[in-house]
Amino acid sequence: MHAGSHNVRAAGARLDLFVSRAIRHLLGASLAIAPGAASIAPVLEDLLSFHPGWITRSVTTHDPAGGNDDGYRPGIAREGDHQVLFHARGEGRITRIWMTAPRAELDKPDQELWIEIDGRTAFRGSPHDFFEGRGPWRSPLALGVEASSGAFTSYVPFAWSSEAKVRFRGVPVYYQITHREGPGAASGPTPEQLERFMAEDWTATLPAPSPREALRPGAPLLLAAGPATVAGLDIRIPAGSLRDLAVRIGGQPPVPASFFFGLASTGTEVDGGWTTFRSALHAAWAPDGAGAGRLATRLPIPLAEGEALALEAAPGAAIAGIEAAVDLAPARPGVRLLAQYRDQTAPGRETTMPLVESDEPLQLVALIEQIRGGRPDDRTYLEGDEMIRTDGMSYPLQIGTGTEDYFNGGFYFLGPHSNAFSGQLRFLVDNPEDGGRGARFSHSLYRLHVADPIVSRSGLRFGMEAGPTGAYTPLRVRSLGLSYAFPEYRVLGEQPIPVRGEGRRAHSAVDAERSSPRRLMLSREGRGITRIEVECPPEARGLLLLRAYSAAKAPQTARVRLDGRDVGTIHEMQANPVRSFAEDALWIDLPPGQCGAGRRPALEIDATSSPAPWSEGGYTLRFFSGPPAPQLRQGPAVEIFDTEGLPGGPFYVNDHSMIQLPDGRWMLTGIFNPEPYRPDTERAFVLATAPGPGPARWVDATSPSFALAPERFSTHALADERWIWAPHVVRDRDGSLVMIFHVGTPDPDRSGFRIARSRDGRVWARHGKTLFEDICVARDPMLVRLGDLWVVYYTRCASRELRLSGVAYRTSLDLAHWSPPAMALTLGPETAMHNSGHTESPFVFARGGWFYLTVTSYPVHEDATFVYRSRSPFAFPPRPIARLRAHAAEWVAEGGGFGAGRLFFTHAGAGKGGVFLQELFGL
């Protein structure tokens, strides 16, 4: 491939020149191109932002000696009559669970799957119930053996803040648990959001196609030009012409359209038949009566200025007619789609065939593969394992148990099938006669990493073995890898940290290909603190901590601190005494000013509490640039709820919350009291409503949007509640509404929190008693869901002894049982006070790969709202990135999600006369 790189670049340059000259004349002249206002599903929108903190990994039953002797062996722990399949500490998220075994083994009685998150049971019961839809989750999130073609598969997201375990009673013969860890790893869609995305018929909203266009060699059909994002693409083509059609993105080499649209048809002479299917990203329809097939995708395709999306005909071929339609969304700067196509034969030695290789920061979102040409009556090429290496590591952080296992099947699949994130669209048998002794097979496969993108900050090598050890031959493999690349992140340099002093010497291969050579490894073991003086360049905005170590003993755990602040946990759960050389990684953000000007941050790796001795074979600190910090600007304030002129007034609204109801109306509730300000008499929450469509229209309104509802109040204080403050309303799993609020008590160090529920937003009923109590007049709760995990943030000081202002959080799976408190933000000694007044009204939301926390600091000014940001929702550096003019800010985004679209905040308070809305620019 390297030999042709100059020709590839030249071809790309010629196309760019052609586009720049012709685009004004051709683009849109005969295609149905929608205006640039199309929406991108929030699940996909999240992929267009880089998540460098996600270390994507898997724990599997692969052969630790590098061969094909896959299967369960004790490698983590045993607790009573349960095997521990998975154990993680720090922040993280399980994105996929896959299991299989011979059918008789799967059906054994008394097997039990037990998933525990932050010390609470998320599921405990029969594996059949969990995967076959008789538990809390159903298809397409959880799939049984028939649906997933030979295996159990789950994409139920399990996020945690501190710890997660998966136990199994019985013998889990083969399993894979893919997950991510590190800052921000808990974030992502809830099960309901993911299920809706996987199941919806997204093809129903594609634009109507254009009149038919002929396509000739050397004359691309231009579909869209940047700056823009293609949010949907729909084409119709004569069925027999698909083999001659290619898709080109910008200056990249063209890729076969059959692969780009998910392999509904390979477009070859031998097996050019079509398959009708719809996955979460691709769709196809078999040819109609006129002989035209249809293909579609909703994979977002960002195009920069001067880039184009085009269809091309193969040299010497002409396509009589193509109908195409493009749905355009606003441009997404700083991201581009990489389409890497390969056509290769198995190398015939014990190694992996490269399917995706890149040196760029990227997130892999799809692999589409066709396999054919094996030996007669032999499908052992499906025994090949995937090995995914990131960031230049020799050790694959993801290593599988078989090709069909990677594609979510088992035992060579049960046949053709199609699911939201994986499938075998076509399984063809050539020469099936004579009992199949001469049969050869062809597989058309896809795996979409939408819920579990593979993240790499400085390069990715995705390889797949051909056969049990990689040496199977002959075999032809054609593949397309689709990734999002983020060029704003680049490596600035490295700081190697070698092991010094006495250490243990061992010869070991890497746990990977069977042919991996043994190497000399010097490692130091202990349970102390390793201190490193970081020599980072002033422009560094991120640090990747890479550790080489011996995995002969486990578990190994260390807390990592930078300048005394916790920045993450490294926890290695699995031992491999056979091939002990291993590597791991942790991403650490570096705020502006952390490096340069003679500063040398202090990095500490604290393994004093590690269960097994902490192993150190050496560290590498890799420094990265990144996009500049955002410059925030707030638009003019618009009053959306006037409380000054209400009968009996004037009144004020303070800490408040609003949400859109199922019928499209918006509901607002909050502290409501007569002027002047008397917090000790605040005993009711107002109820106001406004018609849709929402904040984007309200900012242009000439009169207030909200009006007092006939019910007037959502909640009143009970007799044992001195006051009630700061309601926050969210939607529960079943679509009902949940309100959490603060309850005043005589003891300021025993402030309480309670909840109320409603089906319609009008009638509210208390639910249960006090959830928990906390110190420093703990108040102003805010609820959010990460995966299936509830997180509540609230104002609280650091401790009884150290009353620094801060924001605490707790986690729950059921809104009834809560974890102990932990601090998401702790400010400096100048903020010490009895009630944590510098961190009132916390609100947390995710946007563009970051979490943002806003708080109001009334000792600074009544309208002083500070903005903090972090990769993790559980740890915010105490240095704000901006100050806004607002009191008790609440946030809302256009379209309901914070991933994209216009961003707004509301604010209120005593003496304000109502509730106001402003747009925020810069995020």
Side-chain angles (χ1 to χ4, degrees):
M1 293 182 65
H2 294 293
S5 61
H6 293 293
N7 291 334
V8 167
R9 284 194 292 269
R14 287 195 297 271
L15 178 67
D16 289 342
L17 180 61
F18 175 83
V19 169
S20 64
R21 289 176 175 173
I23 202 164
R24 287 193 301 270
H25 303 289
L26 298 180
L27 184 60
S30 55
L31 297 180
I33 298 181
S39 62
I40 295 173
V43 173
L44 294 175
E45 188 72 58
D46 195 41
L47 299 176
L48 300 177
S49 299
F50 193 39
H51 301 275
W54 294 0
I55 308 297
T56 47
R57 311 193 61 169
S58 63
V59 178
T60 74
T61 50
H62 69 278
D63 183 354
N68 195 47
D69 186 20
D70 300 326
Y72 179 78
R73 55 188 55 78
I76 300 180
R78 185 178 182 90
E79 296 180 0
D81 59 353
H82 287 85
Q83 313 282 355
V84 179
L85 309 188
F86 175 85
H87 184 203
R89 294 186 182 275
E91 180 186 348
R93 182 181 179 104
I94 292 173
T95 54
R96 168 181 171 264
I97 301 175
W98 172 95
M99 307 179 74
T100 196
R103 198 60 180 261
E105 190 73 36
L106 281 178
D107 292 338
K108 281 186 175 179
D110 300 324
Q111 295 185 104
E112 184 178 69
L113 179 67
W114 182 5
I115 302 172
E116 192 175 66
I117 301 297
D118 282 350
R120 301 286 180 182
T121 295
F123 177 84
R124 187 172 184 178
S126 159
H128 281 277
D129 289 348
F130 177 84
F131 290 102
E132 293 170 355
R134 294 186 294 275
W137 305 280
R138 60 184 186 272
S139 174
L141 279 178
L143 301 171
V145 169
E146 298 300 325
S148 200
S149 198
F152 291 140
T153 301
S154 162
Y155 279 98
V156 178
F158 295 102
W160 64 90
S161 67
S162 59
E163 187 175 17
K165 276 188 181 180
V166 179
R167 302 177 182 91
F168 193 87
R169 187 172 64 212
V171 181
V173 179
Y174 308 104
Y175 77 88
Q176 300 180 10
I177 298 178
T178 56
H179 64 288
R180 55 183 181 245
E181 56 192 37
S187 65
T190 65
E192 297 79 31
Q193 291 168 331
L194 194 58
E195 179 183 354
R196 188 162 53 248
F197 171 81
M198 296 171 77
E200 66 187 348
D201 183 5
W202 54 271
T203 64
T205 59
L206 290 172
S210 68
R212 183 162 295 204
E213 287 286 319
L215 188 60
R216 300 180 302 279
L221 178 60
L222 304 178
L223 301 178
T229 301
V230 175
L233 176 58
D234 187 359
I235 69 170
R236 290 168 174 80
I237 182 173
S241 298
L242 182 59
R243 61 179 174 269
D244 298 321
L245 184 67
V247 176
R248 189 191 287 271
I249 305 171
Q252 299 181 60
V255 300
S258 58
F259 279 77
F260 189 80
F261 287 97
L263 265 186
S265 169
T266 58
T268 63
E269 296 283 354
V270 177
D271 56 355
W274 287 60
T275 300
T276 298
F277 85 104
R278 187 185 76 229
S279 73
L281 289 185
H282 303 106
W285 296 261
D288 56 20
R294 181 183 171 198
L295 302 162
T297 182
R298 67 165 165 175
L299 180 70
I301 307 171
L303 299 171
E305 183 76 41
E307 286 189 321
L309 176 68
L311 299 178
E312 298 183 3
I319 299 176
I322 292 180
E323 299 177 14
V326 178
D327 216 358
L328 293 183
R332 299 293 192 276
V335 56
R336 59 196 182 96
L337 179 66
L338 299 182
Q340 194 171 122
Y341 173 74
R342 291 171 182 254
D343 185 346
Q344 56 190 318
T345 56
R349 54 191 177 89
E350 293 179 336
T351 186
T352 54
M353 292 180 291
L355 302 182
V356 179
E357 286 185 298
S358 176
D359 295 329
E360 298 185 71
L362 54 79
Q363 293 169 170
L364 179 71
V365 296
L367 181 70
I368 295 136
E369 185 174 20
Q370 188 204 34
I371 304 172
R372 61 178 297 115
R375 297 192 291 266
D377 196 22
D378 184 357
R379 283 189 284 165
T380 58
Y381 49 79
L382 291 176
E383 298 286 342
D385 302 334
E386 82 275 10
M387 299 183 192
I388 305 172
R389 297 170 170 88
T390 62
D391 299 296
M393 285 187 263
S394 302
Y395 179 72
L397 293 182
Q398 296 193 52
I399 180 170
T401 55
T403 298
E404 83 274 35
D405 305 348
Y406 166 78
F407 287 103
N408 288 332
F411 298 99
Y412 300 173
F413 303 111
L414 304 182
H417 64 284
S418 174
N419 291 316
F421 288 156
S422 60
Q424 177 177 237
L425 291 176
R426 311 182 74 231
F427 173 58
L428 300 176
V429 182
D430 296 336
N431 304 318
E433 299 82 7
D434 194 20
R437 284 190 289 270
R440 285 183 169 86
F441 311 95
S442 175
H443 308 262
S444 296
L445 305 163
Y446 67 90
R447 167 94 179 265
L448 307 181
H449 289 274
V450 173
D452 58 338
I454 300 167
V455 181
S456 183
R457 291 133 291 270
S458 50
L460 173 74
R461 286 189 296 141
F462 186 135
M464 188 83 77
E465 291 178 321
T469 64
Y472 185 104
T473 191
L475 194 70
R476 184 186 181 190
V477 177
R478 295 195 292 162
S479 63
L480 175 66
L482 296 168
S483 310
Y484 289 111
F486 302 86
E488 289 182 314
Y489 294 81
R490 57 185 179 86
V491 177
L492 299 174
E494 291 185 350
Q495 180 184 351
I497 312 294
V499 169
R500 302 189 187 279
E502 294 296 322
R504 181 187 299 273
R505 294 178 179 270
H507 283 84
S508 172
V510 178
D511 183 6
E513 289 98 335
R514 191 162 73 170
S515 60
S516 296
R518 287 159 58 90
R519 63 176 74 178
L520 176 64
M521 179 173 58
L522 174 66
S523 63
R524 181 175 59 198
E525 294 183 355
R527 290 186 176 88
I529 300 176
T530 298
R531 294 179 173 86
I532 299 171
E533 196 174 71
V534 180
E535 300 173 359
C536 48
E539 64 271 31
R541 294 295 175 264
L543 182 163
L544 185 66
L545 171 64
L546 295 160
R547 175 179 70 132
Y549 72 101
S550 169
K553 302 173 184 177
Q556 300 181 32
T557 302
R559 297 286 299 173
V560 182
R561 294 185 289 270
L562 185 68
D563 282 344
R565 181 175 62 87
D566 281 350
V567 291
T569 299
I570 299 176
H571 178 78
E572 294 300 340
M573 67 189 85
Q574 200 163 23
N576 186 350
V578 180
R579 289 184 162 194
S580 57
F581 181 89
E583 295 167 297
D584 54 22
L586 175 71
W587 174 269
I588 302 169
D589 271 300
L590 300 172
Q594 183 101 50
C595 303
R599 298 181 184 88
R600 292 191 173 185
L603 185 68
E604 290 184 331
I605 297 121
D606 185 349
T608 52
S609 300
S610 181
W614 180 258
S615 171
E616 298 173 311
Y619 297 94
T620 299
L621 310 184
R622 187 171 298 153
F623 304 108
F624 291 79
S625 66
Q631 301 297 312
L632 306 186
R633 179 175 59 87
Q634 54 192 102
V638 175
E639 188 174 43
I640 59 171
F641 183 32
D642 178 9
T643 61
E644 201 165 31
L646 293 176
F651 297 93
Y652 66 85
V653 171
N654 203 350
D655 299 285
H656 61 287
S657 177
M658 65 182 187
I659 192 170
Q660 190 168 25
L661 301 174
D663 62 5
R665 294 177 306 119
W666 287 77
M667 183 204 81
L668 183 151
T669 189
I671 295 173
F672 188 71
N673 213 33
E675 296 279 14
Y677 180 50
R678 282 287 306 275
D680 58 331
T681 65
E682 294 171 345
R683 297 181 53 80
F685 297 152
V686 72
L687 184 64
T689 60
R697 293 283 182 89
W698 299 341
V699 294
D700 300 324
T702 57
S703 59
S705 305
F706 281 86
L708 199 63
E711 296 82 4
R712 290 182 60 86
F713 301 102
S714 63
T715 308
H716 289 84
L718 301 181
D720 67 334
E721 298 169 343
R722 300 182 71 186
W723 57 74
I724 55 174
W725 290 344
H728 187 254
V729 180
V730 295
R731 204 172 304 283
D732 202 351
R733 297 174 174 89
D734 62 358
S736 64
L737 300 176
V738 176
M739 176 198 299
I740 187 169
F741 55 95
H742 156 98
V743 173
T745 60
D747 184 350
D749 282 342
R750 295 193 61 182
S751 293
F753 294 82
R754 295 181 178 176
I755 63 172
R757 291 181 174 272
S758 174
R759 299 299 307 186
D760 58 8
R762 289 194 287 263
V763 179
W764 290 84
R766 299 297 190 97
H767 187 82
K769 296 185 178 181
T770 299
L771 303 178
F772 57 85
E773 296 178 337
D774 218 329
I775 62 174
C776 300
V777 198
R779 61 197 184 280
D780 300 354
M782 182 261 173
L783 266 177
V784 68
R785 279 182 72 199
L786 303 174
D788 214 32
L789 183 71
W790 288 102
V791 184
V792 61
Y793 298 91
Y794 58 96
T795 299
R796 200 200 86 156
C797 60
S799 67
R800 290 178 185 268
E801 299 76 25
L802 199 64
R803 292 187 176 254
L804 308 178
S805 293
V807 174
Y809 72 91
R810 297 175 187 243
T811 66
S812 174
L813 291 171
D814 57 8
L815 291 174
H817 304 90
W818 292 88
S819 70
M823 299 303 292
L825 173 70
T826 303
L827 300 183
E830 72 281 0
T831 68
M833 55 192 304
H834 73 288
N835 69 347
S836 191
H838 287 269
T839 49
E840 286 196 327
S841 307
F843 195 102
V844 175
F845 63 92
R847 188 174 176 93
W850 293 89
F851 282 87
Y852 292 88
L853 164 64
T854 63
V855 298
T856 294
S857 177
Y858 77 78
V860 174
H861 193 276
E862 191 71 16
D863 286 345
T865 287
F866 290 97
V867 184
Y868 300 84
R869 76 168 184 171
S870 171
R871 293 290 182 188
S872 169
F874 305 118
F876 288 85
R879 182 183 304 173
I881 64 166
R883 174 178 170 176
L884 304 176
R885 298 183 308 280
H887 177 83
E890 298 285 309
W891 294 82
V892 62
E894 188 179 34
F898 288 101
R902 298 166 66 182
L903 185 62
F904 306 87
F905 62 95
T906 58
H907 52 94
K912 307 291 185 183
V915 180
F916 294 81
L917 174 76
Q918 290 183 262
E919 185 168 3
L920 186 79
F921 302 94
L923 287 185

